[in-house]
Amino acid sequence: MGRSPFTLAAAVTAALPGAEVTGARRLSADGDGRFDSAIATLTDGRELAIRVADDDETARELAAEALALRALTDGARAMLPFRAPAYIGETRLGEGRALVTELLPGFQIEAAMVPAGRGAAESMGASIAAVHGLPTSVVRGAGLATRSAEESRAELERLVDTAAATGRVPARLTVRWRDAVADDELWRFESTVILGGVQATSFLFDDHPERGPEVVGVVGWHGLSVGDPALDLSWLSAAPEAAEDVQRAYSDAIDRAPDAGLEVRARLLAELEFARWLVHGDAMHRPDIVDDAASLLEALAEGLRTDDLAIIDARGVGVDSALDALDRVPKDAVAEVDTSMHTDAYNPEELWADSAEREEGEATGTASSTEPTTTASGERVDDTDRRAGMLDIETEDLSGVASLFAGTNGPASAREDSHPRPPRSDDEYGDFDENDSDEAQRAARAALQRWKSSSSE
């Protein structure tokens, strides 16, 4: 890892014969630190993103994304109210698999900063509905994964059993989860085309002068499949202000029978992310991860006001603080035991990376292991203080009703890669402006603040 931008740019000419690269700079988003990544500027002004995987897990993710983007035919893309990155090509860079895609413009908004009302929230809900409205033949024709409601249910049942077998899950949660899995009413849904777990960072926005921030692009297609639509609404507990409006916009836009169990399943999926993390740690023989997950599960169990998952707080007020830690739990940790949704690769390096940016709360005494964490790069980090502040469990009764997978950097954060620098005639390989990301973030925050201010007048 750690290749320079100009080295990565060489992959463009291999993946796109005849391409002439005039500039290269680093790509700081979309890789989550698990890829070497860069942006290449071509002579025709196009901007391309290059990501290189050096291990089997990330290589599988790039392969899945390549397959998904190729499955999005012109006809399928025409059905979407936003852009998806175009597939450019694949090659190998040394021993690593390289994927080259179109770079989309736009800024991102951190989940907690998504404002209520028209604008971002409504656009996000409508965008998710558009994906769910795609014909399943798009996925099936490409040979991508498909799961019926019963298969999704059976998969979660295996996960609950595997997690319970570790002896580290509070009995209250085990009973709660098993009751939910056994509730036939929750599993009477129609599988749809899904992204496989939308995050707030999946959406790229443009600032419309009248409508406010609206989705113009969606990234992160490696989980494209047919499955439970609740997966793509699972990030909403991270957006307490906007959750209701996103849900409403989704319901208004979706062209299918109402799914009465959608919100409950989303909450179930949220809680089970802790179980996935626990099972992953147990399978990898990592006591630090096991202790981490166990402490979070204990905090979750203590913060619940009812054991019945089917009871939803209709007020939708607040965010369960224990579940708030879920954006630090990497997804799909339990692929080794075949209980995962197979929607993303785990990135333990990121588990607590941004916890210092959260609002400070009182520690509950359930902080996780004090053992330092080992990152993907081999660096050991002592995260005790940052973790402790995340377990403020003044929880609402199933408030938020959806799981939390999102994780972004900074308030209304912007992708460095989604605000490409205009090409310069003197641009050379490896030349990039250190202030690009800061300027993009300021632009994103200004756009969001302008819209929130105008909406309150």
Side-chain angles (χ1 to χ4, degrees), residues 143 175 369 418:
V175 171
S369 169
S418 62

Side-chain angles (χ1 to χ4, degrees), residues 434-453:
E434 294 287 352
N435 295 322
D436 281 352
S437 182
D438 290 341
E439 292 175 0
Q441 290 182 17
R442 284 195 293 270
R445 286 195 295 267
L448 181 59
Q449 185 59 44
R450 183 199 65 76
W451 177 248
K452 293 181 74 173
S453 297

Side-chain angles (χ1 to χ4, degrees), residues 130-174:
V131 174
H132 293 185
L134 289 173
T136 57
S137 59
V138 171
V139 169
R140 299 181 192 278
L144 297 171
T146 62
R147 293 180 186 81
S148 66
E150 196 55 40
E151 287 171 334
S152 296
R153 181 185 194 177
E155 187 175 44
L156 294 185
E157 184 176 22
R158 291 194 299 272
L159 174 58
V160 172
D161 290 343
T162 304
T166 67
R168 301 299 298 272
V169 180
R172 183 181 185 185
L173 290 179
T174 301

Side-chain angles (χ1 to χ4, degrees), residues 324 355-361 389-390 392:
D324 195 35
S355 61
E357 295 180 2
R358 293 194 169 277
E359 293 183 0
E360 295 182 357
M390 295 176 65
D392 175 7

Side-chain angles (χ1 to χ4, degrees), residues 2-10 21-27 37-41 47 50 416 421 424 426-436:
R3 301 178 181 89
S4 66
F6 69 84
T7 299
L8 295 173
V21 179
T22 61
R25 67 185 189 276
R26 64 184 178 184
L27 186 158
S37 53
I39 301 169
T41 303
E47 297 269 337
I50 310 104
E416 177 179 321
R421 181 185 57 184
R424 298 198 309 253
D426 61 345
D427 217 359
E428 297 180 352
Y429 285 150
D431 180 29
F432 57 87
D433 187 347
E434 294 287 352
N435 295 322
D436 281 352

Side-chain angles (χ1 to χ4, degrees), residues 81-82 107-132 195 198-205 211 213-218 232-233 235-236 238-239 241-243 245-251 253-254 406 408 448:
F82 52 78
F107 63 86
Q108 294 168 306
I109 304 176
E110 184 180 0
M113 298 294 291
V114 178
R118 62 192 182 95
E122 291 184 351
S123 183
M124 293 166 103
S127 297
I128 297 171
V131 174
H132 293 185
L195 280 166
V198 171
Q199 303 182 39
T201 50
S202 300
F203 303 96
L204 302 178
F205 294 89
R211 296 189 295 270
E214 60 182 8
V215 176
V216 294
V218 171
D232 285 348
L233 294 168
W235 60 278
L236 287 177
E241 292 186 10
D245 291 312
V246 174
Q247 288 273 9
R248 182 184 299 109
Y250 173 83
S251 298
I254 198 69
T408 60
L448 181 59

